[in-house]
Amino acid sequence: MSELLTTEALTAFLQVIMIDLVLAGDNAVVIGLAAAGLPKDLRNKAILIGIIAATVLRILFASLTTQLLEIVGLLLAGGILLLWVCWKMWRELRVGHAEKDLEAEEALEDRDLDQDGQIAEHAPRKTFAQAAWQIVIADVSMSLDNVLAVAGAAREHPIVLIFGLGLSIALMGIAASFIARLLQKYHWIAYVGLAVILYVAGEMIYRGALEVWPAIHRG
């Protein structure tokens, strides 16, 4: 237990919390946007399916990723994938999608937040199958990103890793819309989270390169 009180473990612990907050909120916004174009009776069903799928996928990826990262070369590949995630997040933060974010929040909370008499009225109309497909594709990508980032941050600390993955699942299952709203209101949280993920990606690439280099040198 004393190993959790070291500076390294506490740093990993804080990194994991920031990663979970930002990526769970981002995932919730994507789910809300995909469901926003549906009629009310189908919207809540699509959001529920999206959150359940994201939760299940996080458990599935968590059971595989920690073992896969032990394979030489995959830590480096995971770091490069996280760099791409950082680039995506940076573009979204720089461009800003205030109207789209509002549409997502209204869909997630099923409330008329801008008090114009309608919920997510500007979202393009779509079928339930189209919305469900968009949600599942987004969930696969973002759940893998989340698990990779948490595993990269807490790789040497199994207890922190378990906590991080559990927190990720809890945030998606219980507080997804709250986290999305929090990130919309306080943009600096998203920037801090982006910086943490960027740091984790750099560390994974560095450690992965150290693992791969001897194999290349022997070849």
Side-chain angles (χ1 to χ4, degrees):
M1 194 69 182
S2 59
E3 69 185 36
L4 292 177
L5 300 177
T6 64
T7 303
E8 188 182 349
L10 289 173
T11 300
F13 183 77
L14 292 174
Q15 287 177 351
V16 160
I17 290 174
M18 284 305 306
I19 288 166
D20 280 342
L21 274 175
V22 173
L23 292 183
D26 212 20
N27 203 163
V29 168
V30 170
I31 291 172
L33 276 175
L38 293 172
K40 182 179 178 178
D41 58 325
L42 294 177
R43 189 187 306 135
N44 291 338
K45 184 179 177 183
I47 289 170
L48 180 62
I49 288 173
I51 290 174
I52 291 172
T55 301
V56 171
L57 285 166
R58 276 161 169 74
I59 294 170
L60 176 63
F61 286 139
S63 66
L64 298 173
T65 302
T66 48
Q67 282 79 32
L68 289 176
L69 287 180
E70 298 299 322
I71 299 173
V72 174
L74 286 187
L75 187 63
L76 176 63
I80 293 170
L81 178 59
L82 281 185
L83 270 187
W84 178 70
V85 172
C86 290
W87 170 242
K88 260 197 323 180
M89 286 182 64
W90 172 253
R91 276 193 315 174
E92 288 169 6
L93 286 170
R94 294 291 292 173
V95 171
H97 300 286
E99 187 176 293
K100 284 187 176 181
D101 286 349
L102 179 63
E103 299 287 311
E105 286 177 48
E106 287 193 340
L108 285 167
E109 297 189 29
D110 196 25
R111 285 199 297 137
D112 181 14
L113 297 177
D114 58 2
Q115 299 182 337
D116 63 355
Q118 299 181 72
I119 296 175
E121 72 278 9
H122 298 298
R125 300 299 102 180
K126 62 187 72 169
T127 65
F128 182 80
Q130 288 172 326
W133 181 246
Q134 286 177 7
I135 288 170
V136 169
I137 294 297
D139 277 347
V140 169
S141 170
M142 301 187 83
S143 297
L144 179 59
D145 297 344
N146 199 161
V147 171
L148 267 177
V150 168
R155 193 170 177 234
E156 307 300 326
H157 305 280
I159 295 176
V160 177
L161 175 59
I162 292 167
F163 167 81
L165 296 172
L167 178 62
S168 167
I169 291 164
L171 288 176
M172 277 309 304
I174 300 168
S177 62
F178 170 76
I179 299 299
R181 192 166 66 252
L182 187 71
L183 293 177
Q184 173 63 18
K185 189 173 181 181
Y186 302 106
H187 282 291
W188 64 267
I189 298 176
Y191 281 104
V192 172
L194 174 61
V196 170
I197 297 170
L198 184 61
Y199 171 79
V200 170
E203 192 175 32
M204 287 174 71
I205 289 170
Y206 174 72
R207 287 188 300 178
L210 290 180
E211 287 180 354
V212 169
W213 179 248
I216 295 174
H217 189 66
R218 283 198 301 271

